[in-house]
Amino acid sequence: MLIRFSVENCFSFLERATFSMIPGLGRLKKEHINARKHGVSTLKTAIAFGANASGKSNLVKAIALGRQMILLGSLNGPKVTFSPYRLSKDASNRNTRLEYEIQAGRKNYAYGFVFNEERIVEEWLYELTNKDEKMLFERFDTNTYNIAPLLNKNTKAEHKQFLQFVAKATPENQLLLREMIVRRVKENVEDIKDILSVYNWFEQSLKVLLPNEKYKDGISTELVTNEQLHVIFEQLLDYFGTGIDGIELQEVDIKSLNVPQPLLEQIQNDVSSMRNARVILQTPDNTFFFSKEKGVLQIQKFMTKHKIRGSEDYEFFDTKDESDGTNKIIDFVPVIIDLLRGNNVFVIDEMERSLHPNLIYDIFDIYLRSVKDVQSQLIVTTHESSLLTQKLVRKDEVWFITKDKNGTQLHSLEEYNVRFDKEIRKDYLLGRYKAIPRLGDRDEALACIKLNMK
């Protein structure tokens, strides 16, 4: 689970801002709190509101940037992906700082790094206990390291030497956490369990979805073999009023695919070599599943079923034939199911796109009613003010995002003296919490339009 995330000098954030999933003092809706781990509890959801251009998306992008650097490394050649605050002369000469406090495996950790366009300046990993912090490794300004705790966990001289070699050989533009995985340290030493736990959290638990992205790693890959998931998928589509009577994966011939040949060849190679037995390809019109059965490539297309009136037969639709809203729901069903499975942290930007307000409310309601005994988190940014009700969420689950001359700022509803029974939507729209558009002089705007439209 995510405990806290802090960001500094990145995108629209200039000064350090911290987003926290630690519960406040409120006693209501205790079922919205994940089980305590080493003295730390976390909330199951958070909803961030803010005006356009306030920095809501940049909070999500900052979380995603750190994940990208850990899992994929530098994608900018010898340079580091560096996006400092652009509206200050000094910001380009300052470093960016990202830090994640997380619950991974059975422990709590603080992992973070400081960087600029040229190199990683600092990097650290600490285990957080009830009483103190235990340093696991630190990286300092001249690309030197303190990895003594890791060395102490490995008794053999050759294992210690290998760890020291990997640290010393880590490029200036790459993270040591990533290098430990890329260089297959696990296979060559006795114990790097903490490194693996943290890396696996970023790879397997943290999922970040930007507005135009689909959740490609969802349970859709199991629809063929898992009948229970198939039934749940169809039940949720029916509940959300899509008019869909069922789903089906239909086999198609590779020759019928309108997909560039190099991409097809890459997918075939992935199916043959990947640990996963199935690869998903999503085009603007369709979703395809590639797998290999007994050495033969199989391709299946995701189809929706609609019953023909006055008949027992069905009409099959491609996803392109469904509305934007229906396709959005189809994308969200795997998210809901994976949240209910547990040990997943979803961070979703602009969740409300193409969805009716009642549907968004129901998605949250179903999630929060179903995860009392499940460890999961759903964190979203949105404009949808219908979610701003204490009938649905706790005060500490509501965040407001604003921007001033010092960049984007974060503050929680928990900071305000709001009664537990007060409806907060009206006050939000009236500007009490600041996170609404600040409009200019309407008469001046209208006069300018009238003058220049002649």
Side-chain angles (χ1 to χ4, degrees), residues 71-110:
L71 301 185
L72 302 178
S74 175
L75 301 179
N76 197 23
K79 302 290 187 180
V80 181
T81 304
F82 183 55
S83 299
Y85 185 72
R86 297 173 62 184
L87 300 181
S88 171
K89 289 183 179 180
D90 300 329
S92 61
N93 296 319
R94 290 173 52 180
N95 296 323
T96 291
R97 183 184 189 275
L98 301 176
E99 183 174 32
Y100 303 77
E101 292 180 37
I102 65 173
Q103 295 179 328
R106 297 183 178 181
K107 296 181 180 180
N108 299 332
Y109 297 96

Side-chain angles (χ1 to χ4, degrees), residues 14-26:
L14 177 58
E15 304 303 330
R16 188 176 305 179
T18 299
F19 174 79
S20 174
M21 292 295 289
I22 297 176
L25 300 177

Side-chain angles (χ1 to χ4, degrees), residues 20 23 38 116 168 173 201 204 209 250 275 293 323-324 358 376 386 397 430-431 449 451:
S20 174
H38 295 294
N116 53 43
K168 187 174 182 180
N173 67 335
W201 185 86
Q204 300 171 14
L209 299 179
Q250 295 186 350
R275 296 165 296 252
E293 301 292 337
S323 69
D324 289 343
N358 289 354
S376 276
S386 66
E397 294 172 327
L430 289 174
I449 293 171
L451 178 66

Side-chain angles (χ1 to χ4, degrees), residues 361-422:
Y361 189 101
D362 274 359
I363 288 173
F364 270 92
D365 197 34
I366 284 178
Y367 163 65
L368 290 169
R369 286 173 180 265
S370 305
V371 292
K372 180 179 179 180
D373 299 317
V374 176
Q375 300 278 100
S376 276
Q377 289 178 317
L378 175 60
I379 302 166
V380 305
T381 69
T382 184
H383 293 292
E384 186 42 65
S385 61
S386 66
L387 299 176
L388 263 175
T389 170
Q390 294 187 82
K391 294 178 181 178
L392 179 68
V393 294
R394 297 161 49 105
K395 287 196 302 180
D396 48 16
E397 294 172 327
V398 176
W399 283 80
F400 300 110
I401 301 181
T402 60
K403 188 164 69 173
D404 58 21
K405 63 181 181 180
N406 293 315
T408 294
Q409 316 290 325
L410 305 176
H411 59 284
S412 168
L413 182 62
E414 184 79 358
E415 300 172 19
Y416 294 84
N417 185 20
V418 178
R419 284 176 51 90
F420 72 91
D421 58 349
K422 182 177 179 60

Side-chain angles (χ1 to χ4, degrees), residues 167-351:
K168 187 174 182 180
T170 296
E172 286 193 336
N173 67 335
Q174 301 290 359
L175 296 167
L176 176 60
L177 182 68
R178 171 174 166 76
E179 289 296 299
M180 288 280 191
I181 305 301
V182 172
R183 294 177 182 266
R184 305 178 70 85
V185 174
K186 176 186 175 183
E187 288 82 355
N188 293 277
V189 302
E190 295 165 72
D191 184 359
I192 57 162
K193 292 187 181 71
D194 293 306
I195 299 290
L196 295 173
S197 289
V198 172
Y199 185 89
N200 288 340
W201 185 86
F202 283 98
E203 182 183 45
Q204 300 171 14
S205 294
L206 179 62
K207 281 95 173 179
V208 184
L209 299 179
L210 297 174
N212 296 318
E213 291 182 338
K214 295 185 177 183
Y215 179 39
K216 295 182 179 180
D217 301 321
I219 54 85
S220 301
T221 58
E222 302 175 41
L223 287 178
V224 181
T225 57
N226 193 320
E227 182 61 30
Q228 288 178 315
L229 290 180
H230 197 116
V231 170
I232 294 171
F233 202 109
E234 292 184 335
Q235 179 63 48
L236 287 173
L237 289 179
D238 179 66
Y239 170 77
F240 289 123
T242 61
I244 294 172
D245 296 303
I247 57 175
E248 188 169 305
L249 295 178
Q250 295 186 350
E251 291 193 15
V252 297
D253 190 285
I254 192 170
K255 296 177 182 177
S256 67
L257 297 184
N258 186 24
V259 177
Q261 187 61 32
L263 178 57
L264 278 179
E265 292 175 357
Q266 180 62 49
I267 291 173
Q268 288 178 289
N269 290 334
D270 289 344
V271 171
S272 299
S273 61
M274 281 181 58
R275 296 165 296 252
N276 301 326
R278 198 176 302 276
V279 172
I280 302 175
L281 172 64
Q282 290 180 312
T283 71
D285 296 335
N286 301 105
T287 299
F288 298 97
F289 299 93
F290 293 76
S291 62
K292 221 165 196 180
E293 301 292 337
K294 297 181 180 180
V296 179
L297 181 69
Q298 291 190 343
I299 306 171
Q300 296 167 308
K301 181 167 65 171
F302 181 91
M303 305 287 287
T304 58
K305 295 162 57 176
H306 294 260
K307 199 163 189 178
I308 299 173
R309 184 181 298 179
S311 170
E312 295 299 317
D313 296 329
Y314 292 92
E315 184 70 22
F316 292 90
F317 284 27
D318 292 328
T319 50
K320 68 179 179 181
D321 299 322
E322 300 287 359
S323 69
D324 289 343
T326 296
N327 275 307
K328 192 73 171 180
I329 293 170
I330 291 172
D331 292 339
F332 266 115
V333 168
V335 173
I336 295 170
I337 294 176
D338 275 355
L339 281 167
L340 302 187
R341 284 177 151 182
N343 295 319
N344 283 304
V345 179
F346 280 88
V347 183
I348 303 175
D349 188 26
E350 295 188 19
M351 180 179 173

